[in-house]
Amino acid sequence: KSPVKATEKPVTAAPIAPIPKTLPTPGTPKPSTKSPVNTTEKPVTSAPAPKPTVPITDKPVTAAPIPKTPKPSTKSPVKATKKPVTAAPISKSKKPVTTAGPVQQVPPKPAPTCNFTVVVEGTPISGVHVDISVSVTVVQIVASLTTNSNGQCSFSPENYSNETYIAAVTPPSGLGCKGSCSFQIDMHQGQTTDVTFALVKVQRTVVVTVSVGEEPSPGKEVIIFVTGKPGEIIQTVTTDKNGNATFVASVGTDISYTVTVTPSKGENCKTCSADMTLVPGEIVYYTLTLEQPSSTSVVTVTVDGKPSPGKEVIIFVTGK
């Protein structure tokens, strides 16, 4: 409150209420620090002081707690900088990436191989030739092989490509193939093929025909012996009704043979022997020819004991 102005009459100040030792509550005016005015004249009664709104009691008034002022921070203030906020990228589902390991070099597959075995009635035979070709129409031989003591040989092309090869075996004399003498072989990389050629002993057959003149001569005895050795008779065969004598030589042999025939009484030899060449698997034909010496018959026709000229005479085979 503003101080009361003094009048000509001395003004006596209103008694000052005792100030509690406690701090005044916020908003309460501080007491005046001015010294009271002393007058020598009659005291002037001042206007009654307004009644305090807060009743004064004997109990000490407790002031409301003063809010604590935060101590200033000794740390340097952090400057707020506005950085652009970047939104986190939306993750897209990706397939897991497989990291390839070190590249391993795969060794090339070996070239194809074909193993041949040549047998005669189950027994391996050596020295047999096997030719390999790449064409059927025009034979182009790319390899010529020979079987070893085990009857085996092998073929492996140097410059390999998937090709079809033809393997053909050449049977030795006196032998033939049991079935085909050639095989078609499809060779593929890294593949091994086994082929067996089965050979058999081939029969060599001779048919000897004996005739007298131009007529077959049945019942004639034919002798087969080793050429140059008449004493080594191999076989004696008699001609049949057709004048034929059949001889089958032993298989697997290369012996040369001679055939001979003995004429009957009254017959002479025109071709009574022959040296034969036997071919495996084939029938060979030979002919031995006999002949009869010429003879003359005189027929006389008579009538009453006298010769009868002009008569016709017929001659025929007896019984025919």
Side-chain angles (χ1 to χ4, degrees), residues 31-49:
S32 176
T33 57
K34 294 182 179 182
S35 60
V37 179
N38 296 321
T39 60
T40 58
E41 294 182 1
K42 295 180 180 180
V44 178
T45 305
S46 61

Side-chain angles (χ1 to χ4, degrees), residues 188-248:
H188 301 282
Q189 192 173 11
Q191 174 183 318
T192 299
T193 305
D194 296 323
V195 176
T196 299
F197 289 101
L199 304 182
V200 294
K201 296 177 180 180
V202 180
Q203 294 182 338
R204 295 175 290 180
T205 305
V206 176
V207 175
V208 179
T209 301
V210 180
S211 64
V212 177
E214 295 181 358
E215 296 293 328
S217 180
K220 289 293 190 292
E221 191 176 77
V222 176
I223 300 173
I224 294 100
F225 59 89
V226 177
T227 302
K229 299 179 180 180
E232 294 186 18
I233 297 175
I234 303 300
Q235 189 173 357
T236 300
V237 185
T238 301
T239 58
D240 57 18
K241 64 179 181 179
N242 296 316
N244 295 328
T246 302
F247 166 68
V248 179

Side-chain angles (χ1 to χ4, degrees), residues 245-266:
T246 302
F247 166 68
V248 179
S250 299
V251 295
T253 60
D254 294 325
I255 301 175
S256 297
Y257 299 94
T258 299
V259 61
T260 184
V261 63
T262 301
S264 301
K265 187 178 179 180

Side-chain angles (χ1 to χ4, degrees), residues 163-199:
E163 260 187 285
T164 298
Y165 293 86
I166 305 297
V169 63
T170 303
S173 178
L175 299 176
C177 297
K178 185 179 181 180
S180 177
C181 286
S182 62
F183 283 93
Q184 178 175 302
I185 307 168
D186 295 324
M187 303 187 74
H188 301 282
Q189 192 173 11
Q191 174 183 318
T192 299
T193 305
D194 296 323
V195 176
T196 299
F197 289 101
L199 304 182

Side-chain angles (χ1 to χ4, degrees), residues 26-139:
T28 304
K30 297 180 180 181
S32 176
T33 57
K34 294 182 179 182
S35 60
V37 179
N38 296 321
T39 60
T40 58
E41 294 182 1
K42 295 180 180 180
V44 178
T45 305
S46 61
K51 296 181 179 180
T53 57
V54 180
I56 300 173
T57 60
D58 293 337
K59 295 179 180 181
V61 179
T62 304
I66 300 174
K68 294 181 179 181
T69 304
K71 294 181 180 181
S73 175
T74 57
K75 296 181 180 180
S76 58
V78 179
K79 294 182 179 180
T81 57
K82 292 184 179 180
K83 294 182 179 180
V85 179
T86 304
I90 300 174
S91 61
K92 295 182 180 180
S93 59
K94 296 182 179 180
K95 295 181 179 179
V97 178
T98 303
T99 304
V103 178
Q104 296 181 354
Q105 293 184 352
V106 179
K109 293 183 178 180
T113 301
C114 189
N115 300 320
F116 302 99
T117 303
V118 182
V119 297
V120 177
E121 298 178 356
T123 302
I125 180 173
S126 62
V128 179
H129 297 287
V130 178
D131 293 327
I132 310 298
S133 62
V134 293
S135 177
V136 178
T137 55
V138 178
V139 178

